[in-house]
Amino acid sequence: MLGLLVAERDGEPHVLLQAKAEPGNIDGIQLSPTVQATRSNYTRVHRGGATRYLEHFTGPGRGRVLVDSLQSEQGAWFWRKHNRNMVVEPVGEVAEHPDYRWVALRTVRRLLRVDHLVNMDTRSVLGCLPPESTSVAEASVAEASVAEASVADASVADASVADAFVADAPAPRSLTSWLIDAKQSCPWRTRLVPLADVRGWTRTATEIAADSGRSFRIIAVRVAAGTREVRQWAQPLLAPGGPGLAAFLCRSTGPVPRVLVRARTEPGLGDLVEIGPTVQWTTDTGPATPEEAGPFDAMALTGDTARVRFDAELSEEGGRFHRAATRYRVVEADDALDDLLDDARLPADYRWLTVPQLRALVVRGQHVNVQARSLLACLAAPPPP
Amino acid sequence: MLGLLVAERDGEPHVLLQAKAEPGNIDGIQLSPTVQATRSNYTRVHRGGATRYLEHFTGPGRGRVLVDSLQSEQGAWFWRKHNRNMVVEPVGEVAEHPDYRWVALRTVRRLLRVDHLVNMDTRSVLGCLPPESTSVAEASVAEASVAEASVADASVADASVADAFVADAPAPRSLTSWLIDAKQSCPWRTRLVPLADVRGWTRTATEIAADSGRSFRIIAVRVAAGTREVRQWAQPLLAPGGPGLAAFLCRSTGPVPRVLVRARTEPGLGDLVEIGPTVQWTTDTGPATPEEAGPFDAMALTGDTARVRFDAELSEEGGRFHRAATRYRVVEADDALDDLLDDARLPADYRWLTVPQLRALVVRGQHVNVQARSLLACLAAPPPP
């Protein structure tokens, strides 16, 4: 579970963050949500200490739940992993502890621009909050209901267009049908196989690695720590070949700002397909597979700084991955490419969404992948000074 | 895919049904949706004929989509099966064919009371439509948006209650948190194993059966048919031990009518847990497992006909199951048992929902199991004459 406590302090929403070291982290300590615990952590299978602040998220002491959803994580690396993402307003005052601080939401969003500081779990939860929230009330379920309505509104809008053309044109697909079409047209079938049967991979005394050397490796680390639930342990980590790339093309001009999303197929996702960024590369040197390539790759990598709204290299989960980094970019689409970006001309796996539409899908759970949720958090970062 | 065409004819919505035989059907022919096809059917892997009317649901000829969702089927019998459920208003007139007839929606709903007539696939799709729909417009996405709003409204209502008590009481759980809590507290883990490793089951020349004789059997049938896509084939079927039971307790009195649902755990469901009926037994002679038993079993089986709003024995999918039947009941809750039915006293896995709330969850897909969707269809059956 990834749990974030949020409360009004000094007239603006603050969140309770933990400064936390993970064995795979770049730069050691990063900003983590209030609670970041696997089921075995918080049910104390490993006989570690109790998880601090957990009582605000589960059981009779639970506060007011603002966000609660099951979200996928890296479908290229995990087999059907999902994590509960919760934002809770606690009942009464909650005191800080040495590794925990109440930080203004505005400040956290500014810190997203610092490389390797706000960790993946925090970004995933922030991606579930409305970007404009400047009070706890705005960050609350009332916003969620607006967001829920947005998906429906989009369908209604589609429907009224259809009404106008029903005699001579097919109805445009609703957002829901677009995503189900993508799932249904995916030809992949996945099943678990014994590790010994996987061709092209070799297990040595120290790692499991692809013979080609071009993919990730599974390594192991021994960890000694003073503040973790268990003080010493050894564990496997997945070490990627290099940093990845995740980018949103966006349109801030026009009546409604929009982002360009792509239906993304990943073998470890429950339904195989979720909504991903415009561009998502496993390594930032280029598409790792033909499926990763797309017509907007060059635009996402533009050097034209006037069009780059966000650009930072951030870490993926340091408890599972060894020095895994992704370059996150939000890039204003080039008006010169209007033709390519026109709805009718977009390839079938792309679609323009408003931010409220995208958030409404996030709230449903298991519809928007972790890279796109990170980018949603980054979209809310204030402009650099 | 299960696809139902709906169109306004003679001032009321009609649906295009197929009179269809399936090898496992009780009474041979049942009323099936317009399109009922597996992917291998409609992509013609088996080199059968083209699927009739499919063009209204996929590709450029698709009509106006009123319902589009991925739904689970029997999680006790299928491994992670899901089926796309679509309701589409076609563009232009659609002609009948010998096995197909336009039938008034009102009539189909009346026919639900006839044993083994409206098949499971039709019920599943009907369960996605608003029960009160008396015009195509009411059955359309506009209704879906109302339904979407309902889930959110429920959260907002919860939140305002929380606001009133936030100083001294924990917030009531939202509907979403209730379902995620149920998923998270499920201790089951599932994985596929070789058939030869399954203990307590024996494979003979003619069947795979439990040694105890108390569960289903896998049998095989040879089929010769004149109207199916392929004229002759052999296939396995799952033969249950006897008819099952699925029942909703409901409350028609009070400000808002409600039904009592139970979070139901089934090994073949993707998330293991979905929303099910108040009572669901694999065989109608009693709970097959301790988990199937519950405090409302006797109430669901009441012989007090004044309280029974619906009671019929209907078939499950005859293309996969051999003579699988379920007794579907909708029973008015007994006021004498108010204490037991009070929200605060309900066991954690039960919850009262309004019909719009339940439908909103159906529309999301993979939230409401197939028995509960059948019961939703039955709830819309007009009272017997």
Side-chain angles (χ1 to χ4, degrees):
Chain A
M1 182 216 286
L2 308 178
L4 188 67
L5 286 183
V6 58
E8 203 89 15
R9 294 167 81 97
D10 307 325
E12 62 175 319
H14 282 59
V15 296
L16 187 60
L17 296 182
Q18 180 182 13
K20 188 173 189 182
E22 292 281 7
N25 273 3
I26 294 171
D27 295 346
I29 285 174
Q30 298 189 4
L31 298 179
S32 173
T34 319
V35 169
Q36 175 183 334
T38 63
R39 186 194 304 242
S40 56
N41 278 148
Y42 66 74
T43 57
R44 302 169 74 175
V45 170
H46 305 316
R47 294 165 190 272
T51 301
R52 203 179 288 284
Y53 302 116
L54 184 65
E55 69 276 13
H56 297 290
F57 297 91
T58 60
R62 177 182 284 177
R64 184 154 79 104
V65 176
L66 308 183
V67 168
D68 192 357
S69 58
L70 292 175
Q71 301 292 355
S72 67
E73 295 185 1
Q74 282 80 357
W77 293 339
F78 285 122
W79 176 251
R80 297 193 169 154
K81 182 180 183 194
H82 48 68
N83 222 330
R84 186 176 196 166
N85 282 227
M86 293 185 84
V87 180
V88 166
E89 184 184 13
V91 177
E93 274 293 303
V94 174
E96 296 176 339
H97 279 271
D99 296 338
Y100 297 81
R101 282 287 173 276
W102 284 104
V103 183
L105 183 54
R106 210 167 30 139
T107 305
V108 183
R109 285 177 167 156
R110 213 174 54 231
L111 294 175
L112 281 163
R113 294 190 181 274
V114 180
D115 287 358
H116 306 297
L117 181 56
V118 178
N119 85 355
M120 179 189 101
D121 298 337
T122 304
R123 299 194 309 271
S124 173
V125 181
L126 289 178
C128 301
L129 283 175
E132 68 284 8
S133 49
T134 54
S135 74
V136 171
E138 277 181 4
S140 79
V141 275
E143 275 300 322
S145 80
V146 171
E148 282 288 346
S150 306
V151 169
D153 287 347
S155 313
V156 172
D158 279 356
S160 57
V161 172
D163 282 340
F165 291 96
V166 78
D168 58 3
R173 289 178 303 173
S174 76
L175 184 48
T176 303
S177 288
W178 171 74
L179 189 57
I180 297 180
D181 281 343
K183 289 179 181 180
Q184 298 269 300
S185 65
C186 172
W188 293 5
R189 295 292 171 270
T190 56
R191 63 187 172 89
L192 289 176
V193 296
L195 204 47
D197 294 352
V198 182
R199 281 184 213 167
W201 288 69
T202 301
R203 179 174 178 167
T204 70
T206 57
E207 65 177 22
I208 302 170
D211 300 338
S212 70
R214 282 187 313 209
S215 193
F216 59 81
R217 299 170 302 134
I218 305 296
I219 61 173
V221 291
R222 192 182 308 278
V223 189
T227 57
R228 283 293 295 251
E229 294 84 356
V230 179
R231 281 161 176 276
Q232 283 212 42
W233 71 95
Q235 69 166 86
L237 286 176
L238 182 151
L245 171 72
F248 264 154
L249 283 191
C250 68
R251 276 245 148 114
S252 306
T253 56
V256 186
R258 299 189 301 167
V259 296
L260 185 61
V261 300
R262 184 177 192 181
R264 166 98 187 167
T265 309
E266 300 178 358
L269 297 176
D271 277 349
L272 288 173
V273 177
E274 288 188 7
I275 289 172
T278 320
V279 177
Q280 182 180 326
W281 288 352
T282 305
T283 57
D284 66 359
T285 50
T289 62
E291 290 85 8
E292 281 195 355
F296 308 108
D297 294 355
M299 212 186 292
L301 283 169
T302 182
D304 178 356
T305 52
R307 293 222 315 279
V308 178
R309 285 181 49 189
F310 186 94
D311 192 0
E313 193 179 273
L314 304 176
S315 289
E316 306 307 327
E317 165 63 51
R320 295 285 176 267
F321 308 129
H322 184 252
R323 304 181 67 80
T326 303
R327 186 172 178 191
Y328 286 96
R329 297 196 112 204
V330 178
V331 174
E332 199 70 37
D334 189 345
D335 288 338
L337 295 164
D338 260 4
D339 270 7
L340 195 60
L341 296 166
D342 185 66
D343 272 320
R345 287 190 183 83
L346 281 178
D349 47 343
Y350 292 88
R351 192 167 171 119
W352 286 102
L353 298 185
T354 66
V355 172
Q357 280 180 325
L358 190 50
R359 269 204 64 248
L361 290 166
V362 168
V363 167
R364 289 190 180 192
Q366 294 175 286
H367 276 71
V368 179
N369 80 359
V370 65
Q371 289 86 354
R373 297 200 309 278
S374 265
L375 283 168
L376 259 176
C378 297
L379 268 174
Chain B
M1 182 215 287
L2 308 178
L4 188 67
L5 286 183
V6 58
E8 203 89 16
R9 294 168 81 97
D10 307 325
E12 63 175 319
H14 282 59
V15 296
L16 186 60
L17 295 182
Q18 180 182 13
K20 188 172 189 183
E22 292 282 6
N25 273 3
I26 294 171
D27 296 346
I29 285 175
Q30 298 189 4
L31 299 179
S32 173
T34 319
V35 169
Q36 175 183 334
T38 63
R39 186 194 305 242
S40 56
N41 277 148
Y42 66 74
T43 57
R44 302 170 75 174
V45 170
H46 306 316
R47 294 166 190 272
T51 301
R52 203 179 288 284
Y53 301 116
L54 184 65
E55 68 277 14
H56 297 290
F57 297 91
T58 61
R62 176 182 285 178
R64 183 154 78 105
V65 176
L66 308 183
V67 169
D68 193 356
S69 59
L70 292 175
Q71 301 291 355
S72 67
E73 295 185 1
Q74 283 80 357
W77 293 339
F78 285 122
W79 175 250
R80 297 193 169 155
K81 181 179 183 194
H82 49 68
N83 222 330
R84 186 176 196 166
N85 282 228
M86 294 185 84
V87 179
V88 166
E89 184 184 13
V91 177
E93 274 293 303
V94 174
E96 296 176 339
H97 279 271
D99 296 337
Y100 296 80
R101 282 288 173 274
W102 283 103
V103 183
L105 183 54
R106 209 165 32 138
T107 306
V108 182
R109 285 176 166 156
R110 212 174 55 231
L111 295 176
L112 281 164
R113 294 190 181 275
V114 181
D115 287 358
H116 306 296
L117 182 57
V118 178
N119 84 355
M120 178 188 101
D121 298 338
T122 305
R123 299 195 308 272
S124 173
V125 181
L126 289 178
C128 301
L129 283 175
E132 67 284 9
S133 49
T134 54
S135 75
V136 171
E138 278 181 3
S140 79
V141 274
E143 275 300 321
S145 79
V146 171
E148 282 287 345
S150 306
V151 169
D153 287 347
S155 312
V156 172
D158 280 357
S160 57
V161 172
D163 282 340
F165 292 96
V166 78
D168 57 4
R173 289 178 304 174
S174 76
L175 184 48
T176 303
S177 288
W178 171 74
L179 188 58
I180 297 180
D181 281 343
K183 289 179 181 180
Q184 298 268 302
S185 65
C186 171
W188 293 5
R189 295 292 171 272
T190 56
R191 63 188 173 88
L192 289 176
V193 295
L195 204 47
D197 294 353
V198 182
R199 281 184 213 167
W201 289 69
T202 302
R203 179 175 178 167
T204 70
T206 57
E207 66 177 22
I208 301 170
D211 300 338
S212 70
R214 282 186 313 208
S215 193
F216 59 81
R217 298 170 303 133
I218 305 296
I219 61 173
V221 292
R222 192 181 308 278
V223 190
T227 56
R228 283 293 295 250
E229 294 83 355
V230 179
R231 282 161 176 277
Q232 284 212 42
W233 71 95
Q235 69 166 85
L237 286 176
L238 182 151
L245 172 71
F248 264 154
L249 283 191
C250 69
R251 276 246 147 112
S252 306
T253 56
V256 186
R258 299 189 301 168
V259 295
L260 185 60
V261 300
R262 184 177 192 181
R264 167 99 186 166
T265 309
E266 300 178 357
L269 297 176
D271 278 349
L272 288 173
V273 177
E274 288 188 7
I275 289 172
T278 320
V279 177
Q280 183 181 326
W281 289 352
T282 305
T283 57
D284 66 359
T285 50
T289 62
E291 290 84 9
E292 281 194 355
F296 308 107
D297 293 356
M299 211 185 293
L301 284 169
T302 182
D304 178 357
T305 52
R307 293 221 315 277
V308 178
R309 285 181 49 189
F310 186 94
D311 192 359
E313 193 179 273
L314 304 176
S315 289
E316 306 307 327
E317 166 63 51
R320 295 286 176 266
F321 308 129
H322 184 252
R323 305 181 67 81
T326 303
R327 185 170 177 194
Y328 286 96
R329 297 197 111 204
V330 178
V331 174
E332 199 71 37
D334 189 345
D335 288 338
L337 295 165
D338 260 3
D339 270 6
L340 195 60
L341 295 166
D342 185 66
D343 271 320
R345 287 190 183 83
L346 280 178
D349 47 342
Y350 292 88
R351 193 169 170 118
W352 286 102
L353 298 185
T354 66
V355 172
Q357 280 179 325
L358 189 51
R359 269 204 63 247
L361 290 166
V362 168
V363 166
R364 289 190 181 192
Q366 294 175 286
H367 276 72
V368 179
N369 80 359
V370 66
Q371 289 86 355
R373 297 200 308 278
S374 264
L375 283 169
L376 259 176
C378 298
L379 268 175

